[in-house]
Amino acid sequence: MPDSKKFFENLSGAGKCIGVLTSGGDAQGMNAAVRAVVRMGIYVRAKVYFIHEGYQGMVDGGDNIKEATWESVSSMLQLGGTVIGSARCKEFRTHEGRLRAALNLVRLGITNLCVIGGDGSLTGANLFRTEWSGLLEELVQTGQIDEQAAVTHSALHIVGMVGSIDNDFCGTDMTIGTDSALHRIIEVVDAIMTTAQSHQRTFVLEVMGRHCGYLALVSALACGADWVLIPELPPEDGWEEQMCQKLSESRLRGSRLNIIIVAEGAIDRHGKPITSDAVKDLVVRSLGFDTRVTILGHVQRGGTPSAFDRILASRMGVEAVLALLEASPDTPACVVSLRGNQAIRLPLMECVQMTQQVQKAMDEKNFEEAVKLRGRSFENNLNTYKLLSYRKPDSEVSKDGEGRKGGPCCSSFNVAVLNVGAPAAGMNAAVRSAVRVGITEGHTMFAVQDGFEGFSKGQINEIKWGDVGGWTGQGGSLLGTKRTLPANHLNKIAEQMRIHNINALLVIGGFETCDRIKQSASGTKRRVFIIETMGGYCGYLATVGALAAGADAAYIYEEPFTIRDLQTNVEHLTEKMKTGIQRGLVLRNESCNENFTTDFIYQLYSEEGKGVFDCRKNVLGHMQQGGAPSPFDRNFGTKIAAKAIQWISKKLKEFYVEGTYIYLPTYTYYQSKCPGKHCTDFRLDIKHSGSTAADDMSLQTITDHQAVDLKQFGLCVSPLFLQTLIL
């Protein structure tokens, strides 16, 4: 274990024993959670035990329960499944089985359990806890343990972490394994879309989710599927005709493929299952389309966990150990959950009961309540999908004068969308979302090519609903983007805005590799890799990348370091090479220090480690900006762009009366925490005069390093009313 400064000075696990097990279905990221529990436990001087094969190993005891070491969890982070095994145990459901499990734990002094599994596994753990004192009394009476042992181990503390690819547990925004499963699904969908387009086929994809439609819903949102069927909200009667009509209209607009996603537990309003084969037969019978079915099955559970799942599981594992250390005999069992961006603790059984309420609502055919019980995130995903997947008939969409006379709820304006700065995965998903939501709101949408430079040259064209079909999965920027600032083109940009009567502007932009490198290092004894990441003066990529890859060190701008720190890290790696782990990984943010460059660190490590290890360096560069966007980036871009256009529509309608713009808001606050090149919080102070555009705008950031004058972005280009939102 590395000799480093304690971050939890007041917490000590000395004399405590922690058991960690995985139970139920496996999920990517479970190994990361196990690793975090083991290393955090050892960090606070507690003993940590692997309980192999879940509850079955606890019941059987013996070699199934082994003490873990710091090195025993090395290289687990990037592995899928669960290294310590998982099994469904019928014996643990019996009193006799739990009695044997209690005996095995008491013999090793284990009174703290960290259970990683689904709601069934966590419910079983809570039952075990409530019976604990009675089980010990029974063991004393039968002479299997003495009274002193019963007193010493009188309380059993339980902390749960939800490992489930279905994201079917209430109380947490995401469960361990969900994001990785979405990656598997999207990889398959992206591959299928190419062959479907070639042959003008319709594909019906069945994904997991017997009781929860999260995977189906979010993957449909991420790939722009034509139709999705989930158990929480079955389609209305007559859905067959509606679906076929929508597929037919899509083909008439020029689409060469259709994607339908079906959750394995999909049902209709009467509780009758809707199978993927039934959907296929319907499409073939009604439309005659060449249709194929793909059932993804257990491929969704397999493979390497995503960066998100590794980080989520690691943070949850650390919080679980802290919860066990702080628990008292009266502390109820808790579950570590994700709320926003924080790992929090919630009462275990309250969350289990909430989860059971969802199924109860579905059984009672109260589907709207079931959707609400799933949580705000699920409901928002569903509403966004509905907004983007269905195009209103032209008769329902307000246009120009007619809409504006109709009042603030049905106004039509000209809204332009452009990309600026460096390309980023998810930009195209955001543009697609903005265009379709804008059209739904009744606006005329314009696309600006090549950022502000293209804006000044008049590269502005109307963009329609069908023009953005298939954009969600595309990397880079299909509109084109340049770093050119508009400072020298303000007059030309203003003229183009007058010509096209632009009322609002949406600006989208901003000012897996480590695993492969680790695998290379693992195949070569005693090698250390120095990796340079992007990020400018923001260390987000380096820090999170280091956490996700299990790096030995990360050098970032926000955390100053000295030559002594570098020397300490070299010494740590030298000692590490004497163990069974003979490889190292170091990440460096590109602008972390102007003197301690990547070359300098590489040469220092090479010289100081001479004879012990050799070094390699790798500058990842622009490959970090390339490739297809992840499911998270697709959905994030889609949802924030939809919110942005709705906000713009609201402001345009609010300040437009009888053909005149009344005023600008005196103060608008927009906050964005973005892991982009410059991670800042943006605050816009807008001062106005009558109906003119902003006369003065200032940008404040959380760092002083990157202060930008907003006039460079062309926000003060003309005496026209302009609502601008930067994503």
Side-chain angles (χ1 to χ4, degrees), residues 277-453:
D277 284 331
V279 174
K280 172 197 169 184
D281 293 341
L282 171 65
V283 174
V284 172
R285 183 175 62 254
S286 301
L287 300 175
F289 290 173
D290 186 2
T291 307
R292 300 286 190 273
V293 172
T294 298
I295 300 175
L296 272 65
H298 284 76
V299 108
Q300 297 160 85
R301 290 190 186 276
T304 300
S306 66
F308 181 91
D309 273 329
R310 300 183 201 190
I311 295 163
L312 174 65
S314 297
R315 293 179 62 188
M316 284 185 169
V318 170
E319 188 65 27
V321 173
L322 296 178
L324 290 172
L325 294 181
E326 296 170 358
S328 67
D330 298 326
T331 302
C334 73
V335 61
V336 179
S337 301
L338 180 70
R339 182 71 57 82
N341 196 32
Q342 299 298 319
I344 63 171
R345 307 170 199 171
L346 296 174
L348 172 60
M349 291 314 297
E350 286 186 17
C351 294
V352 170
Q353 290 165 6
M354 288 172 58
T355 303
Q356 293 171 346
Q357 286 296 316
V358 178
Q359 187 60 49
K360 182 180 178 182
M362 292 165 60
D363 292 340
E364 295 174 351
K365 296 183 172 55
N366 189 354
F367 299 113
E368 287 72 18
E369 180 66 16
V371 169
K372 290 181 180 179
L373 288 171
R374 280 290 180 214
R376 189 171 59 182
S377 176
F378 187 94
E379 195 171 8
N380 287 341
N381 284 327
L382 183 59
N383 291 335
T384 304
Y385 176 77
K386 290 179 179 178
L387 194 64
L388 297 174
S389 62
Y390 175 67
R391 182 186 181 185
K392 292 181 180 179
D394 292 340
S395 59
E396 296 182 21
V397 178
S398 60
K399 289 296 178 184
D400 295 333
E402 296 179 9
R404 292 179 180 175
K405 292 177 182 178
C409 64
C410 55
S411 299
S412 175
F413 298 92
N414 292 343
V415 180
V417 183
L418 75 157
N419 294 157
V420 299
M427 275 185 167
N428 296 319
V431 172
R432 169 185 175 271
S433 176
V435 168
R436 292 196 169 181
V437 173
I439 292 173
T440 300
E441 292 281 331
H443 306 316
T444 300
M445 301 300 295
F446 290 86
V448 180
Q449 303 287 333
D450 296 332
F452 285 115
E453 184 176 324

Side-chain angles (χ1 to χ4, degrees), residues 126-316:
N126 186 69
L127 175 62
F128 191 41
R129 173 186 169 276
T130 57
E131 292 183 347
W132 182 256
S133 58
L135 294 172
L136 294 191
E137 288 179 9
E138 192 171 340
L139 291 173
V140 170
Q141 291 173 2
T142 58
Q144 297 182 73
I145 63 172
D146 57 33
E147 292 186 2
Q148 182 59 44
V151 172
T152 303
H153 308 101
S154 59
L156 178 67
H157 305 299
I158 300 288
V159 174
M161 288 183 278
V162 187
S164 168
I165 68 168
D166 292 334
N167 201 31
D168 55 355
F169 193 82
C170 293
T172 183
D173 293 343
M174 288 284 276
T175 57
I176 297 170
T178 301
D179 187 70
S180 299
L182 285 172
H183 274 73
R184 300 294 93 77
I185 295 170
I186 294 304
E187 286 170 5
V188 172
V189 172
D190 286 349
I192 280 176
M193 288 179 76
T194 58
T195 183
Q197 194 168 35
S198 300
H199 297 278
Q200 299 191 62
R201 284 176 176 156
T202 295
F203 268 85
V204 181
L205 277 78
E206 182 181 303
V207 302
M208 284 187 170
R210 188 172 303 145
H211 304 292
C212 179
Y214 184 88
L215 289 179
L217 175 60
V218 176
S219 58
L221 190 60
C223 72
D226 296 279
W227 201 267
V228 63
L229 294 161
I230 59 175
E232 288 88 349
L233 192 65
E236 299 288 348
D237 291 341
W239 65 272
E240 298 92 342
E241 182 179 346
Q242 294 175 17
M243 184 187 74
C244 290
Q245 182 181 354
K246 182 180 178 184
L247 299 182
S248 180
E249 290 174 353
S250 174
R251 292 295 180 95
L252 290 174
R253 289 196 300 268
S255 175
R256 294 177 57 85
L257 76 156
N258 299 111
I259 299 293
I260 302 168
I261 296 183
V262 182
E264 62 177 329
I267 55 175
D268 64 16
R269 288 274 163 173
H270 308 287
K272 180 182 177 182
I274 301 176
T275 66
S276 51
D277 284 331
V279 174
K280 172 197 169 184
D281 293 341
L282 171 65
V283 174
V284 172
R285 183 175 62 254
S286 301
L287 300 175
F289 290 173
D290 186 2
T291 307
R292 300 286 190 273
V293 172
T294 298
I295 300 175
L296 272 65
H298 284 76
V299 108
Q300 297 160 85
R301 290 190 186 276
T304 300
S306 66
F308 181 91
D309 273 329
R310 300 183 201 190
I311 295 163
L312 174 65
S314 297
R315 293 179 62 188
M316 284 185 169

